[in-house]
Amino acid sequence: MTTDESKAPDLSHPEDGSGTRSNKWLASRWTTVWTTVLVLLPLGLLGAAVWIGRLVRPGADDWCFLPVVRDDGASGLIGKFYFQDNGRVANALLVVAYAAFGVPGHRWFALSTGILVLGILWAVTASALRSTGMRAPRAIPPLVAALMTVVFLFATQNTYKTFYWPASSVSHTLAPVLAAGSVIPLLRARTRKGRVFALGAALVAGVFIGTLSEETAVVVFVVLALALLTSYWAVPGPGRALARSWCAVAFVGTAIGTVILYTSPGARTRRERFDADATSMFSPDTLMTCLRAFMDILGTILSTWQYAGAFAAGLLLGLLVRGDGPRTQGLLWRRPLIPVVVGAVAFLLSGYLCTVVAHPAFGASVATASRTWNDYLLLYVMLLVTVGAMLGRVLRTRQWLPGLAMAAAAAVCVMACVGLAVPLAHLERKMEVRAQHWDRQDRWLHTHAAHGDQVLPYTPVSVSGLGEPFGRHGQKPWPAKCVAQWYHLQRITYSPRFP
């Protein structure tokens, strides 16, 4: 994205023909300075969260992935997913990427995913500005991306399962981010080869998402269908044909991936285990139950004030961007309400459908299984940024409101980051306690297993509701067999005290 702050007009004083070049230069430089300082806050928060990630230790499903990857390699885990567990082939590939390194892979999972999420959202923001012919101060794209990242990852009801637990993050956190990233080739396509590449990438990305996460695939289907339906009004000019073709190809790719997943032996076994046949999933009673559950989820989301940070980032974006050529007569300039309305409908519809899809596995607890909300929460965060940007474009035409709005938006960004940092600090202390206990027990189990013991006691070590062997005070054995396999034991027994 091309930026040129030295040519940007004074954002707090409209052009009236009497301003001096030096005043404009100072205003531009001041904007660059304070936006650069502001972006350090969410980046610092993300950096602190990444550092806390060193305290992550395997738990729940991770126990069952580790021994398979160690003993049978990537093909073994892919076969396990496809033939036994759930059919998510792409999911298995991402699990192998961290499980192949054993316990260290879990410790540095937050580092790799934090960089990946920030990088993709940054690229999406910069590409969107470039495709619409807009330019902004250099710090604005990273500021918007960083705030979207920290809000998406840390404003949830269970940050550990959203960001730190690899098994959940791969299925419900990385999946929607990767889906959003698939639009980057489309936004940057300028030549015939670029357009062909964008269409090919859409097909591959669609198949990948379809075999990665059922809920994210539902969100993709809803977004693409609405985009196709509204593209005639929303995307004027020659870009309409490419946008419609891209949406159609991405839809077909996601459908192919979904069919591969749905027809797999693993998915069939999973449906039988949860009795998730078509009749029970879409019966009137189930649909009403899911509607009530989604209304509860929606109430929780809308009452989480830290999401205002995404809106504030969008407001700054709208106040500071400037048009640069004929492409600025596109979607964001001529029909600003269309993306807002379409985004709101997509969020509500996909959220409800994801609740329906998740209901067979979670039952009555679907309204509290917050990690499954992430598949459509990224859409909500992006919607807030869009609404903020639309409002910012309106406010900047007023005489004195732009400066006041920028100050208010910056203050909200700061408060949102502080509001996210406090619970993250509390979580760090809990994770540190778990890491100490886990490491102590891990050394003890490895030592005794090496001496030939075959049956050893195990004390549950959980955090943020993470599944552990002998949960509920010894009443829930899963995944005890996987733990025993990891330590080369016949079985483990429940012990209320650490060895």
Side-chain angles (χ1 to χ4, degrees), residues 24-348:
K24 294 178 182 179
W25 183 87
L26 288 173
S28 175
R29 290 295 182 181
W30 170 241
T31 299
T32 301
V33 170
W34 72 260
T35 52
T36 301
V37 172
L38 185 61
V39 75
L40 295 178
L41 191 59
L43 288 178
L45 178 61
L46 181 61
V50 165
W51 175 245
I52 294 171
R54 77 193 188 282
L55 302 173
V56 173
R57 300 295 185 270
D61 301 70
D62 297 324
W63 281 121
C64 298
F65 301 155
L66 285 170
V68 176
V69 175
R70 179 195 61 192
D71 299 338
D72 302 321
S75 60
L77 189 66
I78 292 172
K80 173 179 167 61
F81 271 53
Y82 184 78
F83 292 104
Q84 301 176 26
D85 290 351
N86 46 41
R88 301 171 186 167
V89 179
N91 198 306
L93 290 173
L94 294 182
V95 170
V96 169
Y98 70 84
F101 298 96
V103 177
H106 294 71
R107 292 176 179 173
W108 302 113
F109 178 82
L111 172 63
S112 57
T113 55
I115 294 174
L116 183 63
V117 173
L118 175 63
I120 289 177
L121 295 182
W122 188 343
V124 169
T125 304
S127 300
L129 289 174
R130 182 171 182 260
S131 68
T132 54
M134 295 183 180
R135 53 192 173 87
R138 284 190 179 90
I140 290 302
L143 174 61
V144 173
L147 276 166
M148 282 198 293
T149 299
V150 298
V151 166
F152 174 58
L153 295 177
F154 310 135
T156 61
Q157 299 299 298
N158 194 322
T159 296
Y160 188 89
K161 290 186 176 181
T162 294
F163 183 53
Y164 292 114
W165 181 25
S168 173
S169 180
V170 162
S171 300
H172 303 290
T173 303
L174 284 182
V177 174
L178 294 175
S182 66
V183 78
I184 295 174
L186 171 65
L187 296 174
R188 291 189 169 270
R190 292 292 178 269
T191 64
R192 184 177 180 277
K193 289 183 178 179
R195 291 189 286 270
V196 172
F197 176 78
L199 294 176
L203 181 64
V204 174
V207 175
F208 190 86
I209 294 299
T211 55
L212 174 61
S213 170
E214 296 94 329
E215 288 85 357
T216 298
V218 167
V219 177
V220 169
F221 281 133
V222 171
V223 171
L224 292 176
L226 289 174
L228 282 169
L229 290 173
T230 59
S231 59
Y232 180 80
W233 302 277
V235 188
R240 180 189 303 152
L242 176 61
R244 290 174 66 87
S245 299
W246 188 91
C247 289
V249 171
F251 193 99
V252 170
T254 308
I256 293 173
T258 302
V259 169
I260 293 173
L261 187 153
Y262 188 81
T263 58
S264 67
R268 189 160 51 247
T269 300
R270 190 170 187 265
R271 290 195 299 271
E272 292 174 355
R273 183 165 67 250
F274 294 115
D275 192 25
D277 55 271
T279 303
S280 62
M281 279 185 67
F282 298 103
S283 65
D285 289 343
T286 301
L287 293 177
M288 286 303 301
T289 299
C290 292
L291 180 59
R292 288 191 292 268
F294 180 62
M295 294 305 295
D296 291 339
I297 294 171
L298 198 59
T300 301
I301 293 173
L302 295 178
S303 61
T304 303
W305 69 268
Q306 289 89 343
Y307 285 114
F311 174 81
L315 186 60
L316 288 174
L317 177 65
L319 288 166
L320 294 173
V321 294
R322 288 294 182 268
D324 186 22
R327 280 178 292 164
T328 57
Q329 300 306 312
L331 172 63
L332 294 178
W333 285 66
R334 294 176 58 182
R335 299 177 175 92
L337 287 181
I338 290 181
V340 174
V341 174
V342 172
V345 173
F347 164 64
L348 295 173

